[in-house]
Amino acid sequence: MSNLKEICSGLPLDPLPPNQGRDPSVPHAPIRTPNLTAKEERLALRNALRYFPPSCHATLAPEFAQELRQYGHIYMYRFCPTLRMRAYPIDQYPCRTRQAASMMLMIMNNLDPAVAQFPQELVTYGGNGQVFSNWAQFRLVMHYLSQMTEEQTLVMYSGHPMGLFPSLPSSPRAIITNGMVIPNYSSREQYEKMFALGVSMYGQMTAGSYCYIGPQGIVHGTMLTVLNAGRRYLGSGDLRGRVFVTSGLGGMSGAQAKAAVIAGCVGVIAEVDESPLRKRHEQGWLMEVSSSLEHCIKRIREAKSRKTPLSLGYHGNIVDLWERLVMEYEQTGECLADLGSDQTSLHNPFNGGYYPVQLSFHQANQLMSADPKHFQTMVQESLRRQVKAINKLSDAGMFFWDYGNAFLLEAQRAGAEVEKVGGGATEFRYPSYVQHIMGDIFSLGFGPFRWVCTSGDPQDLTVTDDIAATVLEEIGSGVTDSIRQQYNDNIRWIREARKHKMVVGSQARILYSDQKGRVSIALAINQAVADGRVSAPVVISRDHHDVSGTDSPFRETSNVYDGSAFCADMAVQNFVGDAFRGATWVALHNGGGVGWGEVMNGGFGLLLDGSEEAAKRASLMLNWDVSNGVARRCWSGNPNAYETIQRTMEEQRQLRVTMPFPVQDEQVLDRALQG
């Protein structure tokens, strides 16, 4: 408790804490190359010193300048707390309101070394998904939250706490925006400069909104994707003996090994960096590791013939693995891979998100900062080779999809053969997983609903798991077949989640649910807090990657074909609407998932403290949070969304949605345009 008080007491200035530099025992973010001019370097330094009184400047200026030149950013390592960073039970935070304490818990969970990808650089996942831009911001935010009353709102500008402002008890306790840049200036190059200057930040989706819950958050979505890919491409939900080949075992991608085994298939995942590979293996998420392609091929054949689930991590480059599978096919006529995808962080291709096959991991890290232009050329050459191998296996019967990580977009920019003849602006030779799999699920109103037990007690998580499963079983008995399939997948997941040891960091859970399910689960959990079955409040949130949280033409809205895929009204409306319907905090970001300038996404956190007020907020906000996106998808012409919003209007008399009339006779258009 006293240590938590210390990090909530503001910036330690007298005396300044000793500068310990970087901790060699944790992984670190790649060196950034913002290419600042001398004038911009001076501005970056001036901006960083704004957080400190002039009496500290002579000490801090030289070390900040060194960080800027050595790492491409001023992280202020001196102010990184020595306290073990984790989600402490909510009652241990020195606060005036539990709403503020719940945010502190979520922030510290995002920076827990067991959860965060590069904890000392404040990166939670995705290679560059920041919680804050520097450690001064972290300390100021914790201080403000400890002081906050229920008549104040914390305002966050891209990692920078602008301050506490007077508001209503019904207002959000924090409003967060990340990367809100004028559209014409929202380029990658501009971003690197703005981040180095300390004026803008890439919050990914749930890093800069404090809602990341470790890789469990995506295990579930990945499991659903793999199961539904089997149903769609292989004609079966039984994936025993089927092989799924992909890459990446870092933050988000780390879920793939676990998801493959839960889905029952053989998952082979390439990863160039030994650190996340080791982490997933130690966590028990990855069953085996090998750096030998010979051994990988042998294990694929064995597991395939025995039909035993397996997660095999190949310590090497994914391009080598794909090319080896092609060689195997050419020599034996057998295509060993049934399903294929990719989860390298290609939203960030030239700064550690993708490692070219021509270089070792160490060589690549050196070249990306020493000669960025040459590195970029090698990345693009590697992508062309990767696609060439995937195309050969696809022609032999493997089904490949884009995992929404900008893989096909960057491959296209690299000149790889991914064009879809006659396709629209968001279509490629291979579908994105939203176009073929998740989009229809989103249009039914299903998406990644989450909760965190703020007591830190596993028993509370067990109780909430049972509540959620029971609620879904009750609702699921009276729904249509397509919706029942979704309910059944999620009941199966929630009943088995404990067995698979999903918890990393906070006592959290995720499942996919529709509007009715989310509201019912939230209200049931709130009631359990009220009557003491759950010992402390529960935070609910979701991934921004959801029904209405995100406008992303190459991912979440890639199956919107009315020309509005590049419009961002939905995400902005989502953020604003959640704010005045009762969210505890809301966030709006540029760039989560597929990269800066490519997407807008909104998220929220809401504290269920057992009160009637919390129940009212949850009901009002969650209904809007889903219906907003379903209505937009309905208007764009999606039949699932049309039926879903019709049903919702029948259940909610105050909901009135503008419904589209379809063109039934295409010849009407032909005649009009020929005339």
Side-chain angles (χ1 to χ4, degrees):
M1 180 78 170
S2 59
N3 284 346
L4 283 170
K5 272 189 176 158
E6 187 273 315
I7 60 167
C8 292
S9 60
L11 289 169
L13 302 173
D14 189 17
L16 287 167
N19 186 11
Q20 312 273 11
R22 302 221 297 188
D23 177 356
S25 72
V26 295
H28 289 283
I31 291 165
R32 308 184 81 109
T33 51
N35 297 320
L36 301 182
T37 63
K39 192 175 177 184
E40 286 165 338
E41 276 191 340
R42 193 177 180 87
L43 183 57
L45 192 53
R46 184 193 302 281
N47 287 348
L49 291 171
R50 288 185 287 195
Y51 289 101
F52 306 94
S55 57
C56 299
H57 290 183
T59 305
L60 297 177
E63 72 188 50
F64 288 175
Q66 188 190 351
E67 283 182 20
L68 183 62
R69 287 180 171 160
Q70 200 171 343
Y71 307 121
H73 187 73
I74 300 170
Y75 295 106
M76 307 186 185
Y77 291 113
R78 180 191 284 270
F79 296 95
C80 180
T82 53
L83 170 71
R84 163 81 167 92
M85 197 69 72
R86 67 178 180 86
Y88 290 86
I90 191 167
D91 291 337
Q92 293 185 20
Y93 291 94
C95 279
R96 296 179 180 181
T97 160
R98 276 183 152 183
Q99 290 183 322
S102 70
M103 268 188 279
M104 295 165 112
L105 179 152
M106 300 290 277
I107 287 167
M108 289 187 72
N109 186 63
N110 262 27
L111 293 168
D112 180 342
V115 174
Q117 189 178 11
F118 305 124
Q120 282 206 301
E121 288 75 45
L122 303 113
V123 171
T124 299
Y125 67 96
N128 61 348
Q130 304 283 147
V131 186
F132 302 108
S133 181
N134 59 56
W135 285 104
Q137 292 175 347
F138 165 81
R139 286 180 178 269
L140 281 175
V141 166
M142 295 299 276
H143 177 63
Y144 280 134
L145 289 172
S146 73
Q147 299 295 305
M148 172 192 282
T149 71
E150 296 210 349
E151 293 189 333
Q152 289 172 306
T153 292
L154 175 63
V155 175
M156 296 296 302
Y157 277 31
S158 288
H160 169 67
M162 194 56 78
L164 292 174
F165 292 79
S167 62
L168 297 166
S170 59
S171 304
R173 297 281 71 84
I175 302 276
I176 304 159
T177 50
N178 285 307
M180 293 296 113
V181 171
I182 306 298
N184 282 358
Y185 302 90
S186 191
S187 68
R188 270 190 199 136
E189 296 70 28
Q190 293 275 16
Y191 168 67
E192 285 301 332
K193 277 195 191 292
M194 286 186 278
F195 182 61
L197 291 172
V199 296
S200 197
M201 189 181 91
Y202 184 72
Q204 257 287 3
M205 289 190 153
T206 52
S209 64
Y210 323 144
C211 289
Y212 190 65
I213 59 164
Q216 177 190 175
I218 198 156
V219 170
H220 182 45
T222 308
M223 181 203 78
L224 288 181
T225 304
V226 174
L227 274 180
N228 285 296
R231 288 170 186 146
R232 176 161 187 147
Y233 302 132
L234 308 175
S236 171
D238 180 1
L239 294 179
R240 286 173 301 175
R242 300 296 201 156
V243 179
F244 170 48
V245 177
T246 181
S247 64
L249 284 166
M252 298 298 272
S253 57
Q256 295 184 107
K258 192 61 141 171
V261 170
I262 297 173
C265 65
V266 178
V268 188
I269 306 105
E271 172 57 68
V272 288
D273 184 355
E274 195 182 354
S275 173
L277 198 70
R278 216 173 37 237
K279 187 173 178 177
R280 299 298 169 223
H281 192 241
E282 284 164 5
Q283 282 172 346
W285 287 41
L286 185 62
M287 291 159 73
E288 296 177 19
V289 175
S290 175
S291 54
S292 157
L293 283 169
E294 290 298 320
H295 182 73
C296 288
I297 298 296
K298 180 169 166 277
R299 289 297 288 127
I300 290 170
R301 287 192 188 283
E302 286 170 1
K304 200 174 166 74
S305 66
R306 290 178 188 155
K307 297 194 170 184
T308 50
L310 171 69
S311 54
L312 172 61
Y314 167 56
H315 183 206
N317 197 291
I318 183 60
V319 183
D320 286 328
L321 178 59
W322 283 125
E323 289 179 345
R324 180 56 206 266
L325 288 165
V326 169
M327 189 177 95
E328 206 66 25
Y329 170 67
E330 287 171 344
Q331 287 176 354
T332 67
E334 185 185 10
C335 181
L336 289 174
D338 299 287
L339 300 169
S341 193
D342 185 276
Q343 262 202 45
T344 41
S345 295
L346 270 154
H347 68 275
N348 181 31
F350 310 124
N351 198 43
Y354 181 92
Y355 283 82
V357 65
Q358 311 93 308
L359 301 169
S360 71
F361 181 64
H362 181 65
Q363 288 169 333
N365 277 326
Q366 286 183 315
L367 188 66
M368 87 178 62
S369 57
D371 190 348
K373 279 277 178 279
H374 183 41
F375 182 75
Q376 187 169 337
T377 307
M378 295 191 94
V379 164
Q380 293 187 318
E381 184 187 311
S382 182
L383 279 167
R384 290 194 294 273
R385 272 177 63 179
Q386 183 170 343
V387 168
K388 188 178 176 186
I390 288 166
N391 288 350
K392 281 185 179 167
L393 292 169
S394 170
D395 291 343
M398 176 188 77
F399 294 93
F400 185 89
W401 72 88
D402 181 286
Y403 223 132
N405 58 336
F407 173 71
L408 292 177
L409 183 63
E410 285 305 324
Q412 181 188 54
R413 288 169 178 166
E417 290 177 37
V418 293
E419 188 185 345
K420 179 179 181 177
V421 180
T426 63
E427 295 177 284
F428 296 96
R429 174 173 180 158
Y430 303 106
S432 86
Y433 76 124
V434 172
Q435 284 167 328
H436 267 197
I437 301 163
M438 297 309 293
D440 281 345
I441 293 174
F442 285 161
S443 294
L444 290 169
F446 283 82
F449 180 65
R450 298 172 170 177
W451 63 92
V452 175
C453 297
T454 67
S455 62
D457 184 350
Q459 180 54 32
D460 278 350
L461 188 59
T462 300
V463 174
T464 56
D465 280 349
D466 289 341
I467 288 170
T470 304
V471 166
L472 292 185
E473 281 162 356
E474 284 169 3
I475 305 175
S477 59
V479 295
T480 63
D481 289 348
S482 59
I483 294 175
R484 188 172 297 113
Q485 173 79 74
Q486 298 305 320
Y487 272 108
N488 290 345
D489 284 349
N490 283 284
I491 292 162
R492 170 183 159 186
W493 156 266
I494 204 82
R495 292 284 185 213
E496 294 194 359
R498 280 197 295 283
K499 269 190 253 171
H500 290 285
K501 297 186 171 64
M502 291 290 158
V503 171
V504 178
S506 60
Q507 292 293 321
R509 187 67 74 222
I510 181 173
L511 55 76
Y512 269 54
S513 181
D514 60 355
Q515 184 168 329
K516 194 171 190 174
R518 295 186 209 203
V519 174
S520 303
I521 291 168
L523 295 180
I525 289 175
N526 191 59
Q527 186 56 47
V529 174
D531 60 30
R533 281 175 294 142
V534 173
S535 70
V538 171
V539 171
I540 57 170
S541 73
R542 56 161 167 74
D543 197 335
H544 299 201
H545 167 63
D546 193 11
V547 181
S548 74
T550 300
D551 284 297
S552 180
F554 296 102
R555 199 163 89 176
E556 284 80 359
T557 44
S558 60
N559 67 330
V560 167
Y561 301 117
D562 68 348
S564 71
F566 291 87
C567 301
D569 302 76
M570 179 175 73
V572 177
Q573 288 282 1
N574 181 265
F575 162 79
V576 176
D578 283 357
F580 65 73
R581 285 180 178 86
T584 306
W585 70 95
V586 288
L588 184 69
H589 301 179
N590 167 8
V594 295
W596 186 260
E598 306 282 3
V599 46
M600 294 293 286
N601 65 89
F604 75 85
L606 195 155
L607 186 69
L608 300 175
D609 60 7
S611 65
E612 281 182 33
E613 172 71 12
K616 199 164 73 182
R617 286 172 178 236
S619 179
L620 199 58
M621 198 218 72
L622 290 171
N623 276 310
W624 152 258
D625 193 66
V626 179
S627 277
N628 169 41
V630 180
R632 188 268 176 103
R633 291 166 193 278
C634 163
W635 186 244
S636 78
N638 185 290
N640 275 6
Y642 189 98
E643 288 169 27
T644 304
I645 208 72
Q646 281 278 33
R647 256 197 327 274
T648 311
M649 282 195 285
E650 286 161 20
E651 290 167 9
Q652 297 187 351
R653 303 315 305 172
Q654 286 182 295
L655 178 67
R656 310 298 317 137
V657 172
T658 309
M659 303 297 278
F661 291 103
V663 171
Q664 287 176 336
D665 180 4
E666 289 292 319
Q667 290 181 344
V668 169
L669 304 181
D670 296 337
R671 286 195 297 272
L673 292 168
Q674 282 159 11

